[in-house]
Amino acid sequence: MRRLSAFCARVAKEILRDPLTLAFGLGFPVVLMLLLSAIQSNIPVELFEIAHLTPGIATFGLSFLTLFSSLLIAKDRKSALLQRLYTTPMTARDFILGYTLPMLPIAILQTVVCYLLALILGLSPTPYLLFALVAAIPNAWFYISLGLLFGSALNDKQVGGVCGTLLTNLSAWLSGTWFDLELVGGAFRKIAYALPFVHAVEWARAAQIGAWSAALPHLWWVLGYSLAVTCGAVVLFLRQMRRI
Amino acid sequence: MMEAIRCKDLTKIYPEVTAVDHLNLSVAQGELFALLGVNGAGKSTTVKMLATLTAPTSGDAFLNGKSIVHDRAAVKAMIALSPQETAVAPNLTVSENLALMAGVCGFSRNLAARKAEEVAKIFGLQPQLSRRAGKLSGGWQRRLSLAMALISEPEILFLDEPTLGLDVLARSELWDAIRALKGHVTVILTTHYMEEAEALSDRIGIMRSGKLLTVGTLSEIKEQTGCDKLEDAFIRIVRGGETA
């Protein structure tokens, strides 16, 4: 337990001290919310109403956790720090949990910041908003495990391209946050609903108003993807441990 | 002579090359043993196998009686590695890096802090304790890297090219730190620098193409080859392919 807590503390410090975390993890979602709310106040669009927008932006913000997590793991591998740590009594379980657990409080913090801003921007305070924080946990699990997967498989430059550009774009375009997927329809809509991004947003939207029967089908999608990605991530992490 | 390391036909075969070929070697407790060889000689692979980072294809090695194949956890509890590349956590301070290593080795928080202070004193790191490791010069990072390896009080220490890329002064200071270990920590040192092996080691092993060509004290190797300088002896042995 002491080994795991020492490693968790290290991971948290590395991430929180990286200016990238503040800029993208907190700054970017805040700027987006302010910008889209300004558009909404001038040209009202249902999609950008604050109650509809906030779960989408909060979930989109979580996609940066994949970038932070994968970048840290890839850099650790490159710098030989992991090589050193692999010779200590730390187990594979310690490493996997150590890279995962510190990201959860960061995810909750991101969500809290988004909802505090939303309240300032006019979101009605209801007790159900606390469920929005709960909803962030499975979504965060998906994005964090994706970080472990990419960090184990790619180098730090590849991670920047895949997680910093490709994933954040996929996460935005296929989430139904920026435009209504029903309006596009066809294959695009089918692909979007076969992936977890829109389900993560729909789950957060439904949880925010306590609509559990509407929320659950989306939750299963998110949990299913999270489980599959976690299994893949563990396999890849163990493989790179053996490949030193 | 109490034996700290015994290699028995230790072999590592990669798909296209035999990196280490039936290595048989014995190192005494408290001895500083230098492994020399040109690039691709098998030094680093030997260290990686002994440090449990990679599994041997065949053969075994015993560290204080524990097998690197069958008793990896026990081996990990007694060793430390300072890898070829500088292996520090860049966004952590010097003090936090030291505490991290103590923590992942299972030391309590208080003990970790005390050990960090002690090791910092030994390596003259006190003025740098609150500086981030990523901001230190190459020499200080190497010194920190070595201190991180020693904080767990290992019985056996692996130093893979510890002074690579350092200036003369930084190298000399690091040599003093390594010399201070002699007698109470068993050290396996790999290096390209002949003067480093001459200055530090009790015995020297010379490898080529995965095979151990010769083992002996500095004077034995000089006598064996009829050379006055280790560099000349090394060239003669490697070119001539004399075997131990």
Side-chain angles (χ1 to χ4, degrees):
Chain A
M1 199 59 192
R2 172 69 190 122
R3 291 194 297 262
L4 176 61
S5 71
F7 190 64
C8 282
R10 176 264 161 171
V11 168
K13 282 175 191 166
E14 287 275 3
I15 287 176
L16 292 172
R17 287 174 186 176
D18 190 336
L20 196 74
T21 309
L22 275 181
F24 285 94
L26 293 176
F28 197 46
V30 164
V31 169
L32 279 175
M33 278 183 72
L34 290 172
L35 195 67
L36 294 175
S37 296
I39 293 172
Q40 164 69 15
S41 64
N42 291 325
I43 313 161
V45 185
E46 189 190 345
L47 198 65
F48 295 159
E49 280 174 9
I50 197 70
H52 205 67
L53 181 69
T54 310
I57 298 288
T59 305
F60 174 67
L62 298 177
S63 69
F64 290 105
L65 295 180
T66 304
L67 177 65
F68 305 151
S69 167
S70 57
L71 208 52
L72 180 65
I73 297 168
K75 280 182 179 172
D76 281 355
R77 286 169 51 217
K78 185 182 175 186
S79 74
L81 183 68
L82 273 184
Q83 211 178 96
R84 176 198 287 283
L85 293 172
Y86 287 163
T87 64
T88 69
M90 280 186 76
T91 62
R93 177 183 155 275
D94 291 332
F95 283 108
I96 289 166
L97 289 177
Y99 279 121
T100 304
L101 295 179
M103 306 301 285
L104 279 174
I106 297 172
I108 299 291
L109 178 68
Q110 275 185 310
T111 311
V112 167
V113 168
C114 283
Y115 273 90
L116 283 177
L117 180 63
L119 287 170
I120 294 167
L121 292 172
L123 181 69
S124 305
T126 71
Y128 286 120
L129 290 186
L130 290 174
F131 291 132
L133 300 183
V134 178
I137 294 171
N139 290 349
W141 175 29
F142 167 69
Y143 283 112
I144 294 165
S145 52
L146 210 54
L148 184 64
L149 185 138
F150 286 129
S152 303
L154 306 174
N155 64 38
D156 56 338
K157 283 182 185 161
Q158 291 167 328
V159 158
V162 171
C163 301
T165 310
L166 185 64
L167 178 76
T168 46
N169 272 292
L170 280 178
S171 194
W173 286 60
L174 299 172
S175 69
T177 303
W178 318 105
F179 51 85
D180 192 342
L181 295 173
E182 302 297 334
L183 294 177
V184 185
F188 189 87
R189 184 190 173 282
K190 278 183 186 165
I191 292 169
Y193 275 92
L195 293 169
F197 309 110
V198 65
H199 295 291
V201 173
E202 293 293 348
W203 146 247
R205 278 177 182 156
Q208 179 191 287
I209 54 170
W212 298 113
S213 57
L216 285 177
H218 297 294
L219 176 62
W220 301 136
W221 274 92
V222 175
L223 291 179
Y225 264 98
S226 301
L227 193 63
V229 171
T230 301
C231 291
V234 169
V235 168
L236 286 175
F237 191 83
L238 294 177
R239 192 183 69 159
Q240 65 82 30
M241 265 184 103
R242 286 192 294 268
R243 277 189 168 181
I244 293 264
Chain B
M1 175 187 89
M2 291 286 283
E3 203 172 47
I5 299 172
R6 167 167 285 279
C7 300
K8 288 175 80 175
D9 286 323
L10 194 65
T11 302
K12 182 70 186 182
I13 302 172
Y14 291 110
E16 288 176 5
V17 67
T18 300
V20 177
D21 192 359
H22 293 88
L23 177 72
N24 288 290
L25 175 68
S26 175
V27 178
Q29 278 181 1
E31 185 178 2
L32 200 154
F33 187 89
L35 263 181
L36 302 182
V38 292
N39 288 334
K43 311 180 299 287
S44 291
T45 307
T46 301
V47 165
K48 281 180 181 175
M49 283 193 284
L50 293 175
T52 71
L53 284 172
T54 188
T57 309
S58 64
D60 202 347
F62 299 88
L63 275 61
N64 288 336
K66 306 291 182 190
S67 160
I68 60 165
V69 177
H70 304 293
D71 212 351
R72 288 159 56 91
V75 170
K76 284 182 178 193
M78 70 173 84
I79 63 166
L81 166 74
S82 184
Q84 204 173 98
E85 302 88 1
T86 303
V88 299
N91 281 331
L92 263 56
T93 64
V94 168
S95 156
E96 288 167 342
N97 265 284
L98 293 170
L100 165 69
M101 287 311 293
V104 298
C105 290
F107 291 10
S108 70
R109 215 174 288 275
N110 286 343
L111 184 58
R114 200 166 70 237
K115 290 299 303 174
E117 259 179 51
E118 281 172 26
V119 174
K121 197 173 173 186
I122 292 167
F123 285 90
L125 284 163
Q126 290 132 314
Q128 315 289 342
L129 279 174
S130 55
R131 286 189 69 193
R132 293 209 183 163
K135 305 278 181 199
L136 298 175
S137 68
W140 281 109
Q141 284 195 6
R142 286 275 169 174
R143 208 186 277 219
L144 171 60
S145 195
L146 189 56
M148 286 167 74
L150 281 168
I151 198 165
S152 61
E153 296 179 337
E155 292 166 48
I156 299 171
L157 174 65
F158 299 99
L159 300 176
D160 198 3
E161 309 271 2
T163 61
L164 192 71
L166 292 188
D167 62 44
V168 177
L169 200 63
R171 181 179 299 173
S172 162
E173 286 172 356
L174 211 56
W175 282 4
D176 289 340
I178 294 170
R179 261 193 215 103
L181 303 172
K182 285 172 81 163
H184 49 97
V185 179
T186 307
V187 181
I188 301 287
L189 167 86
T190 74
T191 182
H192 276 112
Y193 301 122
M194 299 298 137
E195 68 275 22
E196 188 159 284
E198 273 186 282
L200 298 175
S201 53
D202 297 311
R203 282 193 309 148
I204 295 166
I206 297 177
M207 291 184 79
R208 189 191 66 182
S209 306
K211 285 183 183 295
L212 188 63
L213 298 179
T214 193
V215 177
T217 61
L218 178 63
S219 54
E220 284 169 352
I221 289 175
K222 285 179 179 173
E223 194 179 305
Q224 182 188 336
T225 54
C227 299
D228 292 333
K229 286 182 177 173
L230 178 61
E231 190 168 334
D232 295 335
F234 173 81
I235 292 168
R236 180 164 294 185
I237 289 168
V238 170
R239 285 206 177 135
E242 288 181 39
T243 52

